[in-house]
């Protein structure tokens, strides 16, 4: 088995070199291919199928809250991008510019959207006149471009896929509520569908989105102890509305500015799934997001009746996303391949199983094998997939909790950041200077001020002055 595995695809072990392990998995599980376009990747069928499942599940949840899908242009004229001062400053260093149309230089250059707040604002300014036009709750599925210097598959690439929701409301209360609602929707999605526990909280002033009044975030902990921002939801108040002149007449016929939000999730989530659940045999996919949930592998398939029986089992399991591996590779090779691709359940069926009216179910997450009667195959597979989904969440939560530390003074803080990968909970005075100092001296950043605040001590972990907030700190992707 070990030899056959090696022959299939060898990957670096996690403990040896986590970064190399990650790269090996994304390539060898067939998720991406490198392209001749610098900093951009090709999503292969196995990778794109995960995105399609994410998209399907999120889209359904968005629509249940009244969101509708639209599509905006790919280009943003420079004058439009410059209307909101903080926003343009935040994005200017990483936008790509279009300067020519065919052979002619453009009168005004246009950037390729890094995000579409300005386009939505321009659009809303034309669409919204009366309180009757509100709220507007639009989302678009698209790609955006950010000219990153260093890129890594899924985590940072110059073009990536995402969704961006943009809403406009009559009041400040409504936009705040919507910002929270979408953050909670993201958090529930990560926990229920991706089996990935997250911390819900607010970004500090330093870390918030360019042009936002407040940014809410969900932060997940990867297997190597680094944090990954997994989704954000921004409350703009009426800042963008003032810059773009988005006004409506209220019921008393008075002119008012709208209040806006935006929120997004990206293909980064696939990187998170890999780094939260993966192991030394490759990808481990939560059943709810796995493109293939069950793979049937015949043993001694050259023997009479085996392939037919395997085919029959595959058909019986058609209520799941199921595949049959009927290639002429050896079973050990097929096992390793299915493991590399993260398929949650493997069904083994051979001559002896057929004789005994049974099949062997193997779990990808634990490696455990269970013998089941063929009479109850569908029920057992269904139960097992549900069990795997919830066990994967619990395992990830236990890992996160075991790698979450408390620091009450700066020496302790520095020691933890240097020696124990994970989240550090510590009190903070609210001053940007302390946040900058911590980042400079430890490379840890403030991940969020969690909604679930705890009182760990009275003073800031960095300067010793009175503390205002408990903050999650950590090294991040
Ligand atoms: Zn301080």
């Amino acid at each position: 088995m070990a030899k056959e595995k090696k022959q299939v695809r060898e990957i670096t072990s996690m403990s040896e070199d986590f970064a190399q392990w990650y790269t090996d998995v994304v390539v060898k599980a067939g998720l991406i291919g490198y392209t001749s376009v610098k900093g951009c990747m090709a999503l292969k069928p196995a990778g794109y199928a995960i995105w399609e499942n994410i998209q399907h599940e999120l889209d359904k949840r968005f629509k249940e809250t009244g969101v509708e899908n639209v599509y905006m242009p790919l280009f943003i004229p420079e004058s439009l991008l410059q209307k909101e001062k903080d926003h343009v400053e935040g994005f200017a260093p990483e936008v790509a510019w279009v300067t020519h149309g065919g052979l002619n230089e453009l009168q005004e250059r246009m950037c390729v959207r890094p995000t579409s707040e300005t386009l939505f604002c321009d659009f809303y300014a034309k669409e919204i006149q009366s309180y009757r036009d509100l709220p507007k709750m639009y989302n678009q599925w698209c790609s955006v471009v950010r000219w990153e210097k260093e890129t890594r598959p899924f985590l940072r690439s110059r073009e990536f896929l995402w969704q961006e929701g943009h809403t406009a409301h009559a009041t400040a209360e409504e936009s705040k509520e919507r910002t929270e609602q979408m953050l909670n929707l993201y958090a529930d999605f990560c926990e229920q569908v991706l089996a990935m526990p997250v911390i819900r909280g607010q970004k500090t002033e330093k870390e918030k989105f360019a042009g936002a009044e407040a940014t809410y975030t969900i932060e997940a902990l990867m297997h190597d102890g680094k944090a990954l921002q997994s989704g954000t939801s921004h409350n703009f108040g009426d800042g963008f509305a003032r810059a773009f002149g988005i006004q409506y007449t209220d019921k008393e016929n008075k002119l008012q500015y709208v209040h806006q939000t935006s929120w997004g999730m990206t293909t980064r989530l696939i990187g998170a799934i890999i780094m939260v659940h993966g192991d030394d045999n490759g990808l481990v996919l939560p059943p709810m997001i796995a493109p293939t949930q069950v793979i049937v592998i015949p043993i001694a398939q050259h023997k009479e009746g085996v392939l037919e029986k395997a085919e029959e089992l595959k058909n019986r399991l058609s209520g799941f996303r199921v595949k049959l591996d009927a290639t002429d590779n050896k079973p050990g090779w097929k096992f390793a391949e299915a493991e590399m691709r993260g398929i949650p359940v493997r069904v083994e069926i051979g001559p002896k199983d057929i004789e005994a009216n049974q099949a062997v179910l193997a779990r990808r997450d634990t490696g455990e094998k269970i013998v089941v009667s063929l009479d109850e195959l569908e029920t057992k597979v269904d139960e097992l997939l549900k069990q795997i989904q919830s066990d994967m969440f619990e395992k990830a939560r236990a890992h996160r909790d075991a790698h979450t530390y408390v620091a009450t003074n700066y020496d302790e803080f520095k020691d933890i950041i240097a020696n124990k990968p994970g989240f550090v909970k510590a009190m903070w005075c609210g001053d940007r200077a302390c946040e900058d100092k911590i980042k400079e001296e430890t490379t840890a950043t403030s991940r969020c001020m969690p909604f679930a605040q705890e009182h760990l001590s009275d003073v800031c972990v960095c300067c010793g002055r009175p503390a205002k907030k408990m903050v999650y700190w950590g090294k991040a992707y």
Side-chain angles (χ1 to χ4, degrees), residues 363-377:
R363 292 177 63 154
R364 172 62 183 92
D365 62 330
T366 60
E368 188 193 351
K369 286 190 173 195
I370 308 142
V371 178
V372 298
S373 160
L374 287 183
D375 299 335
E376 41 180 22
L377 181 70

Side-chain angles (χ1 to χ4, degrees), residues 284-455:
V284 182
L285 292 173
M288 285 184 73
I289 216 72
T292 303
Q293 297 172 308
V294 185
I295 187 155
V296 180
I297 298 184
I299 312 293
Q301 68 183 39
H302 59 280
K303 293 207 173 154
E304 205 192 325
V306 173
L307 214 46
E308 289 76 6
K309 194 69 179 176
E311 185 79 43
E312 181 195 320
L313 298 192
K314 189 201 109 178
N315 292 335
R316 278 178 60 186
L317 294 169
S318 63
F320 308 96
R321 294 188 286 269
V322 64
K323 273 193 179 151
L324 166 67
D325 188 347
T327 59
D328 60 1
N329 292 310
K330 291 215 168 76
W333 197 97
K334 294 183 186 182
F335 291 176
E337 178 76 5
E339 281 175 8
M340 174 63 78
R341 290 181 177 266
I343 300 169
V345 171
R346 177 175 83 222
V347 179
E348 301 169 20
I349 182 87
K352 283 180 191 151
D353 299 308
I354 297 172
E355 210 169 290
N357 191 43
Q358 67 179 38
V360 178
L361 307 186
R363 292 177 63 154
R364 172 62 183 92
D365 62 330
T366 60
E368 188 193 351
K369 286 190 173 195
I370 308 142
V371 178
V372 298
S373 160
L374 287 183
D375 299 335
E376 41 180 22
L377 181 70
E378 294 90 335
T379 326
K380 290 293 176 193
V381 167
D382 187 42
E383 281 171 14
L384 192 57
L385 287 171
K386 288 185 176 125
Q387 190 66 48
I388 291 171
Q389 182 77 30
S390 84
D391 288 356
M392 284 178 71
F393 177 77
E394 289 307 330
K395 187 179 171 193
R397 182 158 65 182
H399 176 269
R400 183 197 65 192
D401 291 349
H403 293 83
T404 300
Y405 306 93
V406 170
T408 50
N409 64 61
Y410 199 41
D411 284 339
E412 207 175 17
F413 186 93
K414 284 190 285 192
D415 179 55
I416 296 169
I417 292 290
N419 300 308
K420 295 176 181 167
F423 281 133
V424 184
K425 297 194 284 188
M427 303 305 286
W428 175 54
C429 61
D431 197 333
R432 168 82 184 253
C434 287
E435 209 180 346
D436 287 340
K437 185 179 172 196
I438 287 175
K439 185 174 180 183
E440 202 187 299
E441 294 182 357
T442 70
T443 73
T445 50
S446 69
R447 304 315 310 154
C448 72
M449 303 179 280
F451 296 143
Q453 281 284 310
E454 294 167 56
H455 183 85

Side-chain angles (χ1 to χ4, degrees), residues 145-328:
V145 167
R146 297 180 188 175
W147 217 252
E148 303 280 1
K149 288 188 188 71
E150 291 196 21
T151 59
R152 288 190 74 190
F154 296 116
L155 302 175
R156 215 167 275 283
S157 54
R158 287 189 176 167
E159 181 188 7
F160 58 88
L161 297 173
W162 80 343
Q163 59 70 216
E164 49 178 322
H166 297 266
T167 67
H169 306 269
T171 66
E173 294 71 42
E174 274 180 61
S175 71
K176 182 167 187 284
E177 249 170 54
R178 176 52 66 163
T179 314
E180 287 167 4
Q181 181 183 15
M182 297 321 284
L183 190 87
N184 285 322
L185 184 152
Y186 285 159
D188 292 344
F189 167 78
C190 285
E191 299 193 334
Q192 293 162 6
V193 179
L194 307 184
M196 185 170 89
V198 293
I199 307 289
R200 308 170 195 215
Q202 186 174 344
K203 287 284 184 192
T204 60
E205 283 294 300
K206 175 184 161 87
E207 300 287 337
K208 76 177 186 187
F209 182 81
E213 211 165 72
T215 290
Y216 299 150
T217 178
I218 45 173
E219 301 283 325
L221 194 70
M222 304 298 102
H223 200 85
D224 62 346
K226 277 196 195 166
L228 189 100
Q229 177 182 300
S230 305
T232 47
S233 183
H234 317 289
N235 186 3
F236 293 129
D238 61 3
F240 274 90
R242 286 178 186 277
F244 284 80
I246 315 171
Q247 288 182 296
Y248 69 98
T249 45
D250 67 12
K251 287 178 184 166
E252 278 78 48
N253 219 24
K254 276 194 218 132
L255 215 48
Q256 307 280 5
Y257 285 107
V258 300
H259 291 75
Q260 292 170 275
T261 79
S262 83
W263 24 275
M265 270 192 163
T266 79
T267 35
R268 269 200 131 190
L269 283 177
I270 299 175
I273 295 168
I274 299 165
M275 291 194 288
V276 168
H277 299 301
D279 65 20
D280 280 347
N281 293 327
L283 208 54
V284 182
L285 292 173
M288 285 184 73
I289 216 72
T292 303
Q293 297 172 308
V294 185
I295 187 155
V296 180
I297 298 184
I299 312 293
Q301 68 183 39
H302 59 280
K303 293 207 173 154
E304 205 192 325
V306 173
L307 214 46
E308 289 76 6
K309 194 69 179 176
E311 185 79 43
E312 181 195 320
L313 298 192
K314 189 201 109 178
N315 292 335
R316 278 178 60 186
L317 294 169
S318 63
F320 308 96
R321 294 188 286 269
V322 64
K323 273 193 179 151
L324 166 67
D325 188 347
T327 59
D328 60 1

Side-chain angles (χ1 to χ4, degrees), residues 76 78 81 87-88 90-98 109-115 145-148:
I76 308 174
E78 186 166 21
L81 190 71
H87 186 68
V88 67
F91 280 97
E94 55 184 29
V95 292
W97 291 103
V98 176
R109 58 180 186 162
M110 297 193 286
C111 79
V112 183
R113 64 181 167 220
T115 178
V145 167
R146 297 180 188 175
W147 217 252
E148 303 280 1

